Amino acid sequence: MDLSKIPLLGMVTRQMDWLNQRQKVISQNIANSDTPDYIPHDLVKLDFADLARSQTKKLKMTVSSEKHIEDPNVKNGKYRDKKDKSFTSEPSGNAVVLEEQMMLQSQTQVDYELMTRLYKKHVGMVKAQKAIVFFQKTLER
């Protein structure tokens, strides 16, 4: 059984992918905390509730070439980058606040662990469902 065809597991996978991309962006911000004129970045928020609502709308645009219309959520990877509008900056022009970036990193890690647990629980439910169906079939014989 292809688990990616289950809508909830597909949404969890997308959320995990977004969190993975966000972790990379935050790591770049932390790595450039001493770079002059560096502006920290973050990803545009991926709302899990919006993902759930979008699963009911399966209409996709049809184009003759992928180059004709660009997905607004894609830029140099899978998700669109947004510049942080931080109000604090060093005299060198660097606007990275390490405490803020560390909090974002911790929250991203917690969210990723939550999505991992949710994925595991639903896979367990699918396996249990398959086992129940198997036992029902063997009892009917």
Side-chain angles (χ1 to χ4, degrees), residues 2 12-14 21 27 29 38 41 65-66 75 78 89 101 103 119 126-127 129-130 141:
D2 186 12
V12 169
T13 303
R14 278 190 66 194
Q21 293 288 330
S27 296
N29 290 343
Y38 183 80
H41 298 87
S65 172
E66 292 179 10
K75 180 184 175 192
K78 194 162 180 156
S89 65
Q101 296 301 314
M103 285 183 359
Y119 190 89
V126 169
K127 287 180 181 178
Q129 175 70 25
K130 289 179 102 177
R141 291 182 190 172

Side-chain angles (χ1 to χ4, degrees), residues 66-131:
E66 292 179 10
K67 296 178 182 176
H68 288 171
I69 300 175
E70 187 175 314
D71 186 353
N73 293 321
V74 176
K75 180 184 175 192
N76 296 338
K78 194 162 180 156
Y79 299 101
R80 189 174 45 189
D81 192 27
K82 93 173 181 189
K83 291 198 177 188
D84 189 14
K85 294 182 180 172
S86 183
F87 295 104
T88 60
S89 65
E90 299 281 326
S92 66
N94 189 310
V96 176
V97 179
L98 281 176
E99 292 83 6
E100 187 178 284
Q101 296 301 314
M102 297 303 281
M103 285 183 359
L104 288 173
Q105 186 177 33
S106 295
Q107 185 61 47
T108 303
Q109 180 180 0
V110 168
D111 290 346
Y112 192 87
E113 289 173 8
L114 173 68
M115 289 296 124
T116 303
R117 288 187 190 129
L118 187 63
Y119 190 89
K120 286 180 182 178
K121 290 289 182 184
H122 280 83
V123 168
M125 288 175 23
V126 169
K127 287 180 181 178
Q129 175 70 25
K130 289 179 102 177

Side-chain angles (χ1 to χ4, degrees), residues 26-66:
I26 293 170
S27 296
Q28 288 175 348
N29 290 343
I30 293 170
N32 287 299
S33 63
D34 290 336
T35 305
D37 297 323
Y38 183 80
I39 298 170
H41 298 87
D42 198 357
L43 296 181
V44 174
K45 184 151 177 70
L46 182 66
D47 190 11
F48 196 72
D50 286 342
L51 277 177
R53 279 187 228 104
S54 71
Q55 286 298 314
T56 60
K57 303 171 188 170
K58 295 280 184 177
L59 297 177
K60 293 185 179 179
M61 234 183 307
T62 304
V63 294
S64 58
S65 172
E66 292 179 10

